[in-house]
Every structure is written in structure tokens, then in C-alpha cells.
Amino acid sequence: MHLHDFWYLLIAVLWTGYFFLEGFDFGIGVLTRTLARDRTERRVLINTIGPVWDANEVWLITAGAATFAAFPDWYATLFSGFYLPLLAILVCLILRGVAFEYRHKRPEERWQRNWEQVIFWCSLLPAFLWGVAFANLVRGVPIGPDKNFTGSVLDLLGPYALLGGLFTLVLFTFHGAVFAALKTVGEIRHRARAQARWYGLAAGVLGVAFLVWTQIQSGNGRSLPALGVAVAALAAALVCNRLGREGWAFTCSGLVVVAAFAMLFLALFPDVMPSTTDPRWSLTVGNAASSPYTLKIMTWVAGLMTPVVIGYQAWTYWVFRQRIGTQHIPAQHAPDASGAQRVPAGH
């Protein structure tokens, strides 16, 4: 395996890991409006991701930095061509983080309600736009002989891309509902399981349509098994959710996310950005990569630091593994989403 192939694989793992973790974050944000019935329940949902949401976003920073260093031409064309949707995602992530931190700073109902709206919309929009972006990445975009994007934002809004956006939005919301059932107690836990069933069925319909379209349009022998894994994992997640096996349901819903994005990366390889103008102008792992020396240095750094980052994040999830419910939420002035532990050990 060449180093540029290895780094393509590693970048695929980083992006997939980001969507596995940030996916249920986005889902929880959407569920603050569709699942929670009052402000206390919204606080419960927000507190389920309070200690981990910012660590989950580290995967996005790492994936973007790795893409920039390992494939600078890919990074340049991607971030210039997809400038507006990626800028919208960035603004949403900034506002969402501010909302988590500032929502509880004042007790006024209007203040908290406004920040809750920010959490909802700034979770929903990125969940949709990431699907649009990756669908366009696989389908291909207009690229000229100088490796520059030659289209407009309207070229990114075709039926296939919009279907991809709807699929990731519903899939992440399903992933979040399963996570909510895993992390809560009481009535909200049962309602999360009920909503997970409907979101899972919707994700199945959209997922089959989008992934089959992907396989027909861009797929190959490598991507077909991933399609089968995604479908089987979704069925298993729905069964486990119905039986109340929330841990297994979350594992399977996460596997759906992993398999779906693995299929996209497998269908894309060896291209990194296909050109719809002329296939000869497509960016590939070969012509978009950095020098072998650069990739070699990056490999040593990644080998040393990646286990540390993964180990620290796994430890964080273990520390904040307790379930919470409305009985754990004080009436007023409760700090939430700041990263501090809210549930005493043993509750």
C-alpha cells in the first residue's frame, strides 16, 4: 500500500468517526424540539451530551487538518467549491457551542428559549448539509484542468445531493434517539425508544434509496458489502430498540453510520473529487497528495498521537456513563452543557 492510499484510508476513518460521534450530537439537538415536552426535558437531553460534545468535534478538526496536510489539492478544491455550505456548517457549529455554554447563564424564559432554538437549528442544518456535501463529493462536481471548481452553489443542490442530505439528517436523528434512550431514565427514555423506531424506519427508506442510487451511479465491488452491512445493521438496531436493548441498539445504529460513510469512501476511491466536466481532470489519491516525505512524517506523528487521543476520549465516555432523568435536574440555575458532571455517581 502506498502512503497516499494509507492516508486516504485514515482520513476516511477520521471523517467516519466524526459522523459516528457528532451524529448523535446532532440528533440530540433535533430531539430537543421533537422529543422533549418541556424545558426540563430539554435540559436532560442537552446534559446527555454536555460533557462530550466538544470532544466529538475534535474529530472534525483532525479530519480537516489531515486532509489539508495529506491532500492539499483536494482540500483547496473542496473548501473553495463547497465554500458556502461549509461556511454555513462552521457558523452553525460556532453558534451551537455558544448556545450550550450560554443557555443557562440567565434564568429568563426568553433567553433560554432563544438559545434552545439555536441548538435545534444549528444541529438540524449541519446534519443536512454534511449529507449534501458528501453526496456531491461522490457524484462529482465541475472541475477544470487547473484543479479548480468551475461550478456554482446551484450545482450542489441536485436531487441526489438533496436526498443525501435528508438521509443523513434522519439517520443522525435516529442515532440520537437511540443514544437518548441509552442515557436517560423514566418517561423520556420510553418516548425516545418510540421515536427511534419511526426515525429508524424513515432512515431505512431514505437510506435504501440513497445508497442504492450511489451503488448504481458510482459503486463498485468494494462498496457493495458496505451497503449490505448498513441495511443489516439498521434492521438489527430496530429490533434491539424494540426489545429495549439500548446498548446493542446504539452499537448497531452507530454501525449504520459507519457502514454508510464507508460505502461513500469506497465508492469514491481512487478519486477524491471526480470531475463531471472531464474524467481526466478528476482529483485522485495520486495527483492530489503531498510529497512522500511529508506523508512519512505525518505517519509517524499520527502513530504516536492517535492512540492518546482515542484513549482520552474513551476515558471521558466512561467517566460520564451514568443515565440521567428529570429528577436529576434542579429547578433553576443548573449548569448544563459546560462539561462538568451533573449526575452524582451512583444515581
Side-chain angles (χ1 to χ4, degrees):
M1 176 184 290
H2 296 289
L3 278 179
H4 52 67
D5 295 330
F6 169 78
W7 272 96
Y8 178 86
L9 174 63
L10 183 57
I11 287 170
V13 170
L14 290 172
W15 279 109
T16 302
Y18 168 67
F19 290 122
F20 173 85
L21 296 170
E22 191 82 319
F24 66 76
D25 274 8
F26 290 144
I28 290 293
V30 174
L31 292 169
T32 58
R33 284 293 162 186
T34 65
L35 174 62
R37 291 178 174 175
D38 53 37
R39 182 152 292 114
T40 300
E41 290 191 350
R42 280 192 284 276
R43 291 168 70 181
V44 170
L45 290 176
I46 292 172
N47 283 1
T48 62
I49 60 173
V52 297
W53 67 267
D54 46 357
N56 293 344
E57 292 186 356
V58 171
W59 287 73
L60 171 61
I61 298 171
T62 307
T67 305
F68 169 76
F71 298 97
D73 289 334
W74 183 14
Y75 181 93
T77 306
L78 174 65
F79 281 78
S80 59
F82 294 22
Y83 178 78
L84 287 178
L86 292 178
L87 177 62
I89 290 173
L90 178 61
V91 171
C92 285
L93 293 180
I94 293 172
L95 291 176
R96 186 168 168 267
V98 172
F100 282 142
E101 298 294 340
Y102 276 82
R103 176 189 165 277
H104 67 282
K105 297 297 185 181
R106 290 168 54 179
E108 291 89 345
E109 180 179 354
R110 182 179 179 182
W111 171 272
Q112 296 192 3
R113 184 175 63 249
N114 288 341
W115 285 120
E116 289 166 358
Q117 289 284 355
V118 171
I119 291 172
F120 171 74
W121 287 107
C122 290
S123 298
L124 185 149
L125 289 175
F128 174 76
L129 290 174
W130 277 126
V132 171
F134 271 80
N136 278 292
L137 199 64
V138 175
R139 180 184 65 89
V141 293
I143 299 176
D146 54 359
K147 300 181 181 180
N148 288 329
F149 177 78
T150 58
S152 67
V153 69
L154 295 179
D155 293 313
L156 307 178
L157 300 177
Y160 174 73
L162 295 176
L163 177 61
L166 289 175
F167 169 56
T168 54
L169 171 59
V170 176
L171 176 60
F172 291 162
T173 307
F174 167 62
H175 195 32
V178 174
F179 181 77
L182 177 65
K183 288 289 293 180
T184 58
V185 295
E187 184 184 355
I188 192 172
R189 173 188 178 189
H190 298 295
R191 281 190 279 113
R193 285 172 53 191
Q195 287 205 9
R197 178 181 62 183
W198 294 110
Y199 282 122
L201 292 173
V205 173
L206 293 170
V208 168
F210 175 68
L211 296 179
V212 169
W213 191 346
T214 301
Q215 180 64 30
I216 294 173
Q217 175 180 262
S218 309
N220 49 53
R222 297 184 302 268
S223 59
L224 185 58
L227 170 59
V229 171
V231 173
L234 180 58
L238 289 169
V239 171
C240 292
N241 178 70
R242 184 177 181 84
L243 296 176
R245 303 295 297 273
E246 286 115 349
W248 283 108
F250 179 71
T251 300
C252 291
S253 69
L255 183 57
V256 179
V257 176
V258 170
F261 280 94
M263 179 185 174
L264 296 183
F265 279 103
L266 289 169
L268 181 60
F269 184 82
D271 291 335
V272 293
M273 284 191 76
S275 172
T276 57
T277 307
D278 189 327
R280 295 175 299 173
W281 298 338
S282 297
L283 300 182
T284 68
V285 292
N287 66 23
S290 294
S291 68
Y293 181 75
T294 300
L295 297 178
K296 185 181 295 185
I297 296 298
M298 290 175 59
T299 302
W300 279 105
V301 174
L304 292 172
M305 297 305 300
T306 301
V308 176
V309 174
I310 294 176
Y312 171 76
Q313 192 160 20
W315 176 79
T316 303
Y317 273 91
W318 175 256
V319 170
F320 296 103
R321 66 188 182 277
Q322 296 91 349
R323 293 177 182 265
I324 62 174
T326 54
Q327 67 271 27
H328 299 124
I329 304 296
Q332 289 183 350
H333 308 298
D336 50 7
S338 63
Q341 175 73 6
R342 285 111 189 138
V343 185
H347 278 226

